[in-house]
Amino acid sequence: MREVEQIYHNNFGMAFYWKKENQTILDKVQLIFKETGLYLTLSELSFFYQLIEDSIIENTCCESCQLKNNCHKFLLKTPCQQVDLAVSMKEIKSIKDLVEGTLFRIDLDEYVYGAGKN
């Protein structure tokens, strides 16, 4: 298996950079969750986060439901125009955490090892 540098993970999936010849490839992030893998640039990852937020807002119909976010599958658009995902509200929230945590770690590392470095 090829080497990876993990960025963030949760119980639903993980995000990492691929390594090639001991060099970390920082221009794209690999997201893995369920049986799905998305290989996204940082701008696509940020756009995906916005699509997740939009989907959560559009599909908040479960508050009074007894099944509480576990019954329906909702369409979640991705930055790849040809690919949409059918996921439950619980899964959308797990994907949101995965993407949000990944973006946070990338921003934190950029600050600590870049702009914030003395």
Side-chain angles (χ1 to χ4, degrees):
M1 182 174 177
R2 291 173 39 192
E3 284 189 62
V4 299
E5 182 179 319
Q6 184 173 298
I7 302 167
Y8 183 79
H9 75 282
N10 62 15
N11 291 333
F12 196 67
M14 68 181 297
F16 57 88
Y17 295 118
W18 285 104
K19 286 186 164 189
K20 185 175 184 178
E21 299 171 2
N22 292 327
Q23 291 290 104
T24 303
I25 303 167
L26 300 173
D27 60 336
K28 287 192 171 187
V29 173
Q30 180 76 62
L31 287 179
I32 304 288
F33 52 88
K34 285 182 72 171
E35 295 84 27
T36 305
L38 298 173
Y39 195 45
L40 305 172
T41 65
L42 295 180
S43 62
E44 289 171 332
L45 190 62
S46 294
F47 182 54
F48 189 34
Y49 182 77
Q50 187 57 54
L51 292 170
I52 294 166
E53 287 276 295
D54 293 346
S55 184
I56 289 172
I57 291 167
E58 289 174 17
N59 297 301
T60 54
C61 60
C62 298
E63 290 308 313
S64 61
C65 178
Q66 290 182 1
L67 296 175
K68 287 286 185 199
N69 302 312
N70 293 314
C71 59
H72 287 86
K73 295 285 183 179
F74 298 99
L75 195 62
L76 174 60
K77 297 207 172 289
T78 71
C80 310
Q81 264 188 338
Q82 302 87 345
V83 179
D84 293 335
L85 306 172
V87 292
S88 69
M89 187 56 66
K90 183 177 180 180
E91 291 169 331
I92 290 174
K93 290 178 180 178
S94 294
I95 295 168
K96 178 185 176 193
D97 175 75
L98 181 62
V99 173
E100 188 173 44
T102 301
L103 289 169
F104 176 79
R105 279 296 308 269
I106 290 170
D107 288 343
L108 180 63
D109 286 349
E110 187 176 302
Y111 178 76
V112 169
Y113 300 111
K117 193 174 182 179
N118 291 334

